[in-house]
Amino acid sequence: MATKQAAILVLADGTCYRGYAFGASGTAIGEVVFNTGMTGYQEVMTDPSYRGQIVTFTCPELGNTGVTPEDDESDRPQVRGVIARNITALPSNWRSRQSLPDYLKAHNVVGIAGIDTRALTRKLRSLGAMNGGISTEILDPEVLLAKVKAAPSMQGQNLAQAASTDRIYEWADKTIPEWEFTEPSQLTGEAMTVVAIDFGVKRNILRRLASYGCRVIVVPADTPAEKILSYNPDGIFLSNGPGDPAAVTQGIETAKALLAADKPMFGICLGHQILGLSMGGDTFKLKFGHRGLNQPAQNQAENADRRVEITSQNHGFALTGESFEASPAILTHINLNDRTVAGLEHKTLPIFSVQYHPEASPGPHDADYLFERFVNSMREHKNNSKQVAA
Ligand SMILES: NC(=O)CC[C@H](N)C(=O)O
């Protein structure tokens, strides 16, 4: 058996963990966060919202099902580095096309395994997410620590533009039939045209919109409101994405301009934060974030059914509840773990957003109804506008 190559992980507080390398060789510095999902490592690694982050997987075995191109959320792994307890180099799954270590190596992503991820997660949970570095080449913790300390904080970083598309395109792929939980009648009828602003969009969101019968036009993060409206969309979608939402100033300005256009809008995660900021809200950095597949969210708005949704989440920032007192939006959903804002809607316009991932790839599908709600709000808005015009 080949000998394992040594690697180290150093956190900004000076803690050093020793493990072994998998994936690419080299050094990766970024914000160290943890994800508690027991499935979906490939979807996590290819989710553009993880840009700039080194992800610790609390799931103790990674790589068992290999890598399958159809499961990619973008065209490559987006995480800066991977921290694992144990890695399986020999996948066992009929869909697998490549092993996880080979995939990460091919895309130059550094991984470290053999780490006590339970101890590491407890540390991040008690002290908060912090910068760290993993390296297969700098094995002196003091030298790596100096690099970690020189790295910028996630707070203040606008990463959405770099994660966005650089061209406008139409997206037509749907999710596979196993995903269709909705009555087929909901999925037919006139196609609604949606302009999706890509701040680092996950493919499954675009697939779900297409499955719900939408014609989806994806535009770059810096597309001005006039250009977006020039497609005469029935609705506008604001995507998830990496970095600090408050730093996406151009996106917030675009959202403000779109509010005046009286169009249905739907935001997910970064898109939700941007919509909230455009309506006068503030955001703050969570201590260790919400990253996993079993985060409880509840609609606590008046007249809501108060059903609890188990949701997929991945975020390090959140909107502050108090900042909505004088806002045209009301808070709807809250995260039941820490009572942070998980959803909002405009008081008078057909605009709503959630902090979690209704497309949930991977994760539970409790929140898939939000796509249907978006489509219904576009249909209703279109019919009302026709009646007014008549
Ligand atoms: N998944 C996302 O869109 C994340 C939003 C934002 N980057 C955050 O960490 O809070």
Side-chain angles (χ1 to χ4, degrees):
M1 198 177 139
T3 47
K4 289 175 174 171
Q5 187 190 353
I8 62 168
L9 156 68
V10 169
L11 296 179
D13 73 347
T15 321
C16 176
Y17 298 80
R18 290 180 187 277
Y20 59 89
F22 74 94
S25 299
T27 301
I29 313 278
E31 186 185 34
V32 180
V33 298
F34 63 89
N35 182 302
T36 59
M38 292 301 284
T39 59
Y41 55 81
Q42 188 188 332
E43 289 90 331
V44 167
M45 291 177 197
T46 55
D47 175 351
S49 298
Y50 282 104
R51 273 202 169 211
Q53 293 174 324
I54 299 175
V55 181
T56 309
F57 287 85
T58 64
C59 176
E61 283 278 338
L62 284 195
N64 310 46
T65 49
V67 173
T68 309
E70 297 80 44
D71 294 345
D72 283 342
E73 289 288 0
S74 66
D75 58 7
R76 63 199 160 89
Q78 303 272 352
V79 293
R80 189 152 298 160
V82 176
I83 301 171
R85 174 75 195 102
N86 197 41
I87 288 285
T88 310
L90 290 176
S92 174
N93 185 291
W94 66 273
R95 296 174 72 235
S96 172
R97 303 275 283 281
Q98 199 174 18
S99 79
L100 180 60
D102 286 351
Y103 174 68
L104 293 180
K105 194 178 281 176
H107 290 278
N108 209 23
V109 176
V110 185
I112 184 168
I115 297 297
D116 183 346
T117 47
R118 286 198 289 190
L120 173 60
T121 300
R122 287 174 72 106
K123 180 179 266 295
L124 296 174
R125 212 177 174 288
S126 53
L127 298 181
M130 63 180 104
N131 281 346
I134 54 179
S135 186
T136 62
E137 58 194 4
I138 306 171
L139 298 178
D140 177 343
E142 289 303 320
V143 179
L144 190 55
L145 181 60
K147 286 189 179 291
V148 169
K149 285 194 164 155
S153 155
M154 186 53 82
Q155 197 141 14
Q157 285 196 56
N158 180 355
L159 303 177
Q161 193 58 47
S164 181
T165 174
D166 50 15
R167 64 183 181 93
I168 295 174
Y169 63 94
E170 279 202 33
W171 178 276
D173 276 4
K174 299 177 177 185
T175 38
I176 55 173
E178 283 77 359
W179 271 82
E180 306 314 343
F181 340 97
T182 312
E183 286 298 309
S185 61
Q186 288 289 341
L187 308 176
T188 53
E190 188 191 354
M192 293 289 111
T193 299
V194 174
V195 172
I197 311 175
D198 176 4
F199 295 109
V201 73
K202 289 173 73 185
R203 284 180 181 162
N204 219 49
I205 296 178
L206 302 176
R207 289 190 198 109
R208 290 311 287 146
L209 288 169
S211 287
Y212 275 97
C214 299
R215 173 182 171 227
V216 186
I217 303 164
V218 185
V219 300
D222 60 356
T223 308
E226 309 81 71
K227 175 80 181 161
I228 291 168
L229 294 169
S230 73
Y231 292 99
N232 193 23
D234 298 306
I236 297 153
F237 173 75
L238 286 82
S239 88
N240 65 293
D244 183 343
V248 190
T249 46
Q250 197 178 359
I252 299 165
E253 287 311 311
T254 305
K256 278 186 190 159
L258 292 170
L259 285 175
D262 184 33
K263 294 267 182 191
M265 289 206 260
F266 177 28
I268 291 180
C269 216
L270 183 69
H272 152 82
Q273 295 163 344
I274 288 174
L275 271 176
L277 288 161
S278 76
M279 293 191 273
D282 289 323
T283 47
F284 70 104
K285 193 171 190 307
L286 292 163
K287 187 174 175 189
F288 48 83
H290 304 153
R291 296 177 186 85
L293 305 179
N294 59 354
Q295 296 273 335
Q298 186 181 39
N299 191 340
Q300 298 204 336
E302 246 174 84
N303 304 326
D305 63 9
R306 304 180 77 81
R307 190 176 70 128
V308 177
E309 296 159 41
I310 303 301
T311 68
S312 172
Q313 299 200 5
N314 161 27
H315 60 114
F317 294 84
L319 288 161
T320 40
E322 310 78 63
S323 61
F324 282 88
E325 273 154 25
S327 160
I330 54 159
L331 302 180
T332 54
H333 300 71
I334 65 153
N335 184 308
L336 291 179
N337 284 342
D338 60 4
R339 309 198 77 78
T340 50
V341 177
L344 57 84
E345 65 187 38
H346 195 284
K347 283 180 190 148
T348 54
L349 300 172
I351 295 171
F352 66 99
S353 60
V354 285
Q355 185 62 77
Y356 46 91
H357 287 270
E359 85 288 358
S361 179
H365 300 146
D366 298 18
D368 193 72
Y369 72 94
L370 290 163
F371 289 104
E372 191 178 336
R373 180 175 162 195
F374 183 41
V375 171
N376 287 342
S377 75
M378 288 189 283
R379 290 216 167 112
E380 205 173 302
H381 190 75
K382 194 166 190 170
N383 284 339
N384 291 346
S385 318
K386 272 185 200 155
Q387 277 164 18
V388 171

